[in-house]
Structures are given as C-alpha cells and as structure tokens.
Amino acid sequence: MTALFAGLTTLDVLHRLDHVPDPGLKVTSTDFTMAAGGPATNAAVTYAALEAGARSLSTDEAVAGSPDPATRADAPLLLTALGEGPVSAFLAADLAAAGVRVLDATTPTPTATGAPGLPGSAASAPAEAAAPAISDIPGLPVSAASSPAEAVAPTIHPTPADERNAATASAPREPAVSSIIEHPSGRMVASTNARLDADPARVAADLPERVGVVLIDGHNPALAQAALTLGVPEVGGEDPFAQLEARPPHLRVLDGGSWKDWLTPLLGFVDVAVVSEDFAPPLLARADGEQVAGFLRGFGITRVVRTRGERPVQYWWDGVHGEVPVHEVPDASTMGAGDAFHGAFVWALERAGATDPERLIRFASAVAGVSVSSFGTRQWLTSPVLAELVRAW
C-alpha cells in the first residue's frame, strides 16, 4: 500500500544569509540548495523518507538489497504537473532520487497550427503558403499582371493578438519557480505559483486502484478532484449528494496552508483537514480555530488539525477537542516545515488509522522538528533522529 499526493511542484532555489540583507546591495550567500518543492511535493518526499527508514529496519531488505526507490510498489505517488524543458527534467530526476514516483499530468504544448486565433496559412512555413496567380486576380489589368514590378502577391498579416497566442502556444510549459532567501530575521520568498494546466485523464491509467491515504494541497483543482474521487464507487440516480456520501476505502486529507476560492466544491470529499493558522475561509478573515473547525464541519469534515508554528497544535476530532504541545527547536530553518508535518501525518495515518489523533500529531510534529533543524528541504532526510522516530513508531 502507498499514498497518493496531488498538487503543486516547483523548483525551489534557496539561499541562506548570515545577516539581514540591504535591498540595495548584492550579497553572497553562506549556503545554497536547489530542489523540487511545493506543498504536496515536499509531503511526498517526507513520506518517502519515512518509508525508506521503515524498510531499513527490515532484515530481509538489508540482506536482499533495494531496487530503485521510485519504482517500488510502496513508493509514494505524486500527481502533479512538471511541465517541459530542462527544469522539468531536473525536477523529475530529483524526485526519483528522493523515492517519489511522479504521475505528470502536464497538458502538452499544442502545435503552432492549433494556436487559437492564428490562421492556418500564417502558421504554415512560408514555402508551403502558395500565393494566387496574379493573372487570376479579378479586375487586375493584364498589363499590371504582366509587370514584374507590380506583381505582388497578397500576404496575411496576423494581428498582435494572433502573434501572442502563437507565442504562448509554442512556448514550453515551464514549471513554477520559487526563490527563497533565508536570513536571521526570517525569509523572503518570490514565486510564480502554479502556472501549468494539467489534465488528469492523461495519467488516469497509471493511477492505482487502491491507496492507503490521499492528500491534496488544492493548488490545482483538476488534480485535486481526480485524487479525491479516486476509488469512489459509482452511484446512480439523481441525488446530487450521492457521490459525496459514497466513500472510498481510504481517508482523504486536505493540506490547507491557505484558503483557495475553488476549494468549496471539493470540501465535501475531504475526511481530514490539516490547516495552518493562515487558513481563513470566506467571511472569516480573522477566524479562530473553533470558527474554522465549525466552518469545515458544515461540509461534513469532523476531523480538523490546526498547526500554529511554535504554539500547540489544535485538533477537533469526532467531537473531541484538544491541543498537543510543540517542542521548540533553536535556530530553526522553517522552510517546508508544514509540508513535512503533512507528509509525516499521512504516513502515520496510513499505519495507525484515525483512532488516536494525538499520537498522529505528536509524530508529525516530531518529524517537522527534525526538518527545521537543518537548512533546506533535503539535508534533514538522512538525520539519525528521523530514523529513531521511525524506529520508535
């Protein structure tokens, strides 16, 4: 069994500084790393690291050796859009090395002749665009038709809009890029965010029939819809709520880092919501945890976890409310900490089920604590502390 993660993949370029930068000066970083990122992507990488740690405890595995981690049956699946070009190739290689199997649903680049608004003749090569014979043009005197200087074939002039459409259609589908500068007082992030169209139907045949848990980050509604409805039994009749009531055999988790307008029709398919303090549904701009949990309960989500940085994690779980303390980590590098929490939460949920939320939260918080103990989103994956957490589980 494995887990399915659906959502955003970015190229994360991270720099570390030993001082707060002056915006008018060029600075030299003290550390640098580059890796595939994004909420669902980082969660999948965390899951893969925990799975690798669990396998390392197996005597049989140690003796027999391990195949390529990304091809294993228990490798986490990432339903995403990687795009095209060299950056996409780097992301694919990085995720394969991390033990994540990618299902790339990127909508392919259309051909130039298919560009919206571009005449077929304008999209063709010049040699293929046959001009009409001058003598065939009605109303043109024979003398003008026989004069080489006057014989000018009519040409098609695409409008600026046509040219923009053609350029957009022929441009490579490049993935999102995030640039992060971490310094003693915090960090600065500039990101293109999700900018790739995705078509889940392109990889539908590669989706497994069964998974242990599904997680969505909501950055691509088409991918989220496909993941949330995986394994849902077919329903008939005209009842508009029948599909919402038809549950798959696995749990479905929302990574709610922030509210997105297209989440509303998807919430009815969610079983567990793990949200941040920044998750503010409509009309609840300054919502407290109880209001957020109440809002989600209106969509049938009775299991809500709310992270708050270094403050205790709150939960509302099948009618029970509580808090779980978080251990403070000195000099924390918090990039991707929430994503690590989500990946660890899914890993634990798949193994222990939903009966003990505090155990799930304690484990996920401990893993997130390891993730912030080193710079970037990859160094911590080989920490012996992480291996001890898996052993203790």
Side-chain angles (χ1 to χ4, degrees):
M1 196 68 70
T2 188
L4 172 66
F5 299 82
L8 178 65
T9 299
T10 66
L11 172 66
D12 283 355
V13 181
L14 295 90
H15 290 270
R16 169 178 264 180
L17 303 181
D18 56 7
H19 63 282
V20 178
D22 183 327
L25 297 177
K26 180 179 179 180
V27 295
T28 301
S29 57
T30 58
D31 205 347
F32 164 82
T33 187
M34 187 168 64
T41 298
N42 283 333
V45 169
T46 299
Y47 181 103
L50 294 169
E51 194 64 31
R55 287 197 304 269
S56 70
L57 300 177
S58 169
T59 303
D60 293 339
E61 169 110 357
V63 173
S66 174
D68 179 358
T71 63
R72 297 183 59 96
D74 56 0
L77 298 170
L78 176 62
L79 178 60
T80 189
L82 286 188
E84 302 169 348
V87 175
S88 172
F90 169 82
L91 296 176
D94 180 61
L95 290 170
V100 176
R101 180 185 167 198
V102 175
L103 301 179
D104 185 5
T106 303
T107 302
T109 303
T111 60
T113 54
L118 183 65
S121 55
S124 304
E128 297 175 357
I134 296 298
S135 57
D136 294 337
I137 299 178
L140 186 67
V142 175
S143 59
S146 61
S147 172
E150 301 284 343
V152 179
T155 57
I156 296 175
H157 299 284
T159 66
D162 293 336
E163 293 173 351
R164 285 194 301 271
N165 289 337
T168 301
S170 61
R173 299 293 196 257
E174 296 179 345
V177 178
S178 292
S179 299
I180 303 102
I181 298 177
E182 191 175 89
H183 53 78
S185 294
R187 66 171 179 258
M188 299 179 294
V189 181
S191 178
T192 60
N193 280 332
R195 59 179 182 178
L196 289 171
D197 294 328
D199 179 10
R202 299 188 65 243
V203 294
D206 298 322
L207 288 170
E209 294 183 2
R210 290 196 60 190
V211 294
V213 178
V214 164
L215 177 139
I216 67 160
D217 66 18
H219 275 278
N220 188 303
L223 298 182
Q225 176 79 18
L228 290 173
T229 56
L230 178 69
V232 174
E234 293 289 338
V235 293
E238 299 180 356
D239 183 357
F241 299 102
Q243 190 176 25
L244 295 176
E245 296 170 353
R247 300 284 176 176
H250 54 264
L251 292 173
R252 299 165 292 184
V253 178
L254 167 68
D255 165 1
S258 61
W259 175 259
K260 299 167 183 64
D261 291 339
W262 53 79
L263 281 178
T264 303
L266 300 177
L267 290 178
F269 296 99
V270 172
D271 304 303
V272 181
V274 184
V275 303
S276 76
E277 203 169 14
D278 296 329
F279 186 83
L283 306 181
L284 299 176
R286 292 186 174 272
D288 60 24
E290 186 62 52
Q291 290 175 314
V292 172
F295 172 85
L296 294 172
R297 202 157 41 240
F299 290 87
I301 304 173
T302 60
R303 297 163 180 169
V304 178
V305 175
R306 187 171 184 250
T307 60
R308 302 185 295 164
E310 71 280 358
R311 294 188 291 161
V313 177
Q314 301 173 313
Y315 70 88
W316 294 261
W317 203 271
D318 295 334
V320 178
H321 169 54
E323 293 187 353
V324 178
V326 174
H327 296 292
E328 185 177 353
V329 178
D331 301 322
S333 174
T334 59
M335 181 67 191
D339 305 335
F341 183 100
H342 298 139
F345 188 91
V346 166
W347 187 86
L349 182 64
E350 183 181 343
R351 281 149 184 78
T355 59
D356 189 350
E358 291 201 3
R359 185 187 182 201
L360 302 176
I361 293 170
R362 282 195 301 270
F363 179 78
S365 294
V367 171
V370 179
S371 78
V372 302
S373 62
S374 60
F375 173 68
T377 57
R378 292 290 189 273
Q379 292 182 23
W380 68 277
L381 298 175
T382 55
S383 168
V385 181
L386 185 66
E388 285 304 315
L389 288 174
V390 174
R391 185 184 299 275
W393 176 265

